[in-house]
Amino acid sequence: MDPLKEKFFEKSASLKADIKTILKDHGDKKIDEVTIEQLIGGMRSVRSMIWDTSSLDPEEGIRFRGYNIPQLRELLPRIPNGKEPLPEGLFWLMMVGEIPTIENVRWLSAEWQKRSSVEKHVFDTLDALPKSTHPMTQFSIAVLAMQSESIFAQKYEEGMSKNDYWDVMYEDSMNLIAKLPRVAAYIYRRSFHNDVHITPKTDMDWAGNFAHMLGYDDADFKALMRLYMTIHADHEGGNASAHTMHLVGSTLSDVYYSFSASMNSLAGPLHGLANQEVIKWIFEMVEELGTNNPDKDQIRKYINDTLAEGKVVPGYGHAVLRQPDPRFIAQKRFAEDNIPDDPIVQIVWDLFELVPEILGSLGKVKNPWPNVDAHSGALLVHYGLKEYNFYTVLFGVSRALGVCAGLCWDRALGLPLERPKSITTDWLKQYIANN
Ligand code: CMX
């Protein structure tokens, strides 16, 4: 057994035993109640699932296994002289709850290298699609095409003990994560670079190699990719892409079915697609105003015009957070350190100054602060990756780390089929009349 798998098995067997005891001794205790506002309003804050890889505090933001983003930027291993943590380290941490050593991370980079070759039929499937197909559609289809390789599906068909689900889920997850950068880079190069593809390096870390295959070998861009892939990976279990993964996976659909579904959820403009919407909106502002150095009055008017047209300000607001997103702040720090004079970055910072006050004045927006999507596009544009339709695929590649780790845990803990109860509006009206 490989070192990560062995550690994962130890930890998960122990937690599985704890959960059994918790259920036996405390299964009937209440931890929450649901209001009618929560029932109609998208189940906000209802505690209803186990997700151990990360947790989200409204004021403080995300913690991965107890570590916040500034701590991870310090503690996770990097390449020699690297400026940013390696996402391999975050995956290790999410899987087993321990900060890995540099050797652990080197092993994982090499392991993903070994597993990274993509079957020809996946590229053929992509080639059958018009190049104008949205990159997220291509990405989701490619992941489904990879399902033919699912070890879980194959073993299940052969007849497998429940006790082995975690093992094949681990193998499938490791394979999927290893292959995703190649698939995503293929989509990018076919959609935007005339099908001129770039051979992967055989000795590079996962995110660095991804940057290379996209066509960006600048050392700072690679550092950005490492940071990007780390901070977008997980945001506890209730967000739409993670919850979709958990729900679909709970039917014992394998990781490919589950992740493809998860990506369809990430592709919505209220979720991951917001990263493309932000930069599109900024580009439209620059074009409409005829300058990429607009003054604050011009930007304020543009924000107000957007709201007057009945649209949301993309990249602002959040269902859980009530402070600026630490993932936004991490990207802002990266920009301050590397590209402080970039004009689009300046606009992003001006928006940070102006939008919260305007959204706050509407009186209904619960969180007027920027989320993760408000900054990422400006950084990518600076290094030349301007094709914003592709941005959500980047988010998706990173999200695979968190949701695959989550699904491994689901199977290791033996969590059951998810099946909440729905009610009709007639039932609700009757309930109100009777109470
Ligand atoms: N611009 C304008 N109005 C906004 C707004 C924004 N950025 N954020 C919230 N509102 C509005 C809502 O549309 C809602 O209006 P109505 O009552 O008229 O329907 C009202 O404020 C209350 O919404 P809320 O409770 O504050 O926010 P929700 O939990 O319902 O929604 C989110 C959260 C993210 C969907 C919302 O803030 C939004 O649409 N933001 C813009 C899109 C975006 O950036 N999404 C990315 C989120 C991060 C991610 O998943 O990647």
Side-chain angles (χ1 to χ4, degrees), residues 271-311:
H271 191 13
L273 202 80
N275 63 6
Q276 81 164 45
E277 294 302 297
V278 167
I279 209 71
K280 182 166 169 252
W281 181 68
I282 292 177
F283 281 166
E284 283 165 4
M285 176 198 305
V286 164
E287 194 176 321
E288 190 178 309
L289 300 176
T291 170
N292 60 8
N293 287 306
D295 64 36
K296 294 207 176 124
D297 287 338
Q298 289 175 301
I299 298 177
R300 192 177 288 112
K301 182 175 179 314
Y302 189 77
I303 300 164
N304 283 321
D305 288 350
T306 299
L307 291 169
E309 287 164 20
K311 298 177 190 162

Side-chain angles (χ1 to χ4, degrees), residues 211-229:
H212 165 73
M213 288 186 282
L214 290 169
Y216 299 89
D217 274 310
D218 182 287
D220 285 347
F221 184 83
K222 287 197 176 116
L224 173 62
M225 266 305 102
R226 292 177 189 118
L227 176 67
Y228 188 112
M229 292 293 134

